[in-house]
Amino acid sequence: VKSVNQTPVERKVSPYAAHLRNGTLYLIAHCPLRKAIRSFVVDRMQKIKLTDESFAMPSGFSLENYLRHSFGMFREDLVRVKVRFHKSLTRYLLERRWHPSQKNKKLKDGSLELAFEVAGTKEIKTWIVGFGSLAKVLEPASLVKEIKEDLGKTLRSYGVGIH
């Protein structure tokens, strides 16, 4: 496994599940080094060696429960996120369930508010920003601030000053 700083690290893990998410294959496994269940990106693995050692998977483990609050794969503290989407997206957004915690609220002007209880904001932020000006985060304030700062940096990278 390559760590964040790209230095290969050898890990012995007890594999619980494999999960394909957005074209990336993850191995969900217990890591004795971290004393926790972790997600590993299979594409980062340079070598995999099967051992003769056995392990007992916890009887209550379920991949669905492990990922239930994640908007993708990340597992962090729960955060309430509320987003207003332009009316042109209402039908599209209501055609599927984006997250198990999703609450829908159609507004009088045809726009749509979606509220979620998700594990952290990193993954949902990317999803929201993908809708551009057709989406506006209403809460939490910390995510509103983070997106404003990111958009400011993006504009500056294109030579557009913010007044």
Side-chain angles (χ1 to χ4, degrees), residues 55-112:
F55 65 92
M57 188 160 66
S59 61
F61 178 80
S62 115
L63 183 61
E64 184 179 325
N65 284 340
Y66 178 77
L67 295 174
R68 103 176 146 246
H69 296 299
S70 300
F71 200 77
M73 288 299 297
F74 291 177
R75 292 172 38 95
E76 299 176 31
D77 292 338
L78 281 181
V79 179
R80 178 177 163 79
V81 176
K82 189 188 286 188
V83 188
R84 180 175 295 134
F85 293 92
H86 187 270
K87 64 183 177 183
S88 64
L89 293 174
T90 297
R91 182 175 174 194
Y92 166 73
L93 291 167
L94 290 175
E95 286 177 342
R96 69 182 281 202
R97 191 113 180 111
W98 299 95
H99 190 267
S101 70
Q102 178 177 325
K103 302 279 190 258
N104 307 324
K105 182 179 177 185
K106 286 176 97 174
L107 303 176
K108 289 179 183 178
D109 66 357
S111 63
L112 178 70

Side-chain angles (χ1 to χ4, degrees), residues 141-153:
S142 59
L143 182 57
V144 172
K145 180 181 178 197
E146 190 177 330
I147 289 175
K148 282 181 179 180
E149 289 171 358
D150 287 353
L151 292 173
K153 289 176 188 175

Side-chain angles (χ1 to χ4, degrees), residues 6-131:
Q6 298 299 308
T7 304
V9 175
E10 188 172 316
R11 298 269 179 101
K12 186 183 287 189
V13 299
S14 301
Y16 291 177
H19 182 66
L20 186 64
R21 176 75 184 176
N22 294 332
T24 300
L25 184 61
Y26 295 87
L27 175 68
I28 313 304
H30 182 267
C31 175
L33 179 68
R34 300 286 185 216
K35 296 181 174 81
I37 300 172
R38 305 289 296 261
S39 300
F40 299 93
V41 177
V42 173
D43 285 344
R44 293 182 189 154
M45 297 177 184
Q46 295 176 343
K47 189 194 303 187
I48 299 172
K49 180 182 170 189
L50 183 63
T51 69
D52 292 334
E53 296 177 42
S54 62
F55 65 92
M57 188 160 66
S59 61
F61 178 80
S62 115
L63 183 61
E64 184 179 325
N65 284 340
Y66 178 77
L67 295 174
R68 103 176 146 246
H69 296 299
S70 300
F71 200 77
M73 288 299 297
F74 291 177
R75 292 172 38 95
E76 299 176 31
D77 292 338
L78 281 181
V79 179
R80 178 177 163 79
V81 176
K82 189 188 286 188
V83 188
R84 180 175 295 134
F85 293 92
H86 187 270
K87 64 183 177 183
S88 64
L89 293 174
T90 297
R91 182 175 174 194
Y92 166 73
L93 291 167
L94 290 175
E95 286 177 342
R96 69 182 281 202
R97 191 113 180 111
W98 299 95
H99 190 267
S101 70
Q102 178 177 325
K103 302 279 190 258
N104 307 324
K105 182 179 177 185
K106 286 176 97 174
L107 303 176
K108 289 179 183 178
D109 66 357
S111 63
L112 178 70
E113 277 186 13
L114 296 184
F116 305 93
E117 292 280 336
V118 293
T121 59
K122 290 176 188 161
E123 291 173 310
I124 198 167
K125 176 179 126 179
T126 302
W127 178 74
I128 294 165
V129 170
F131 290 101

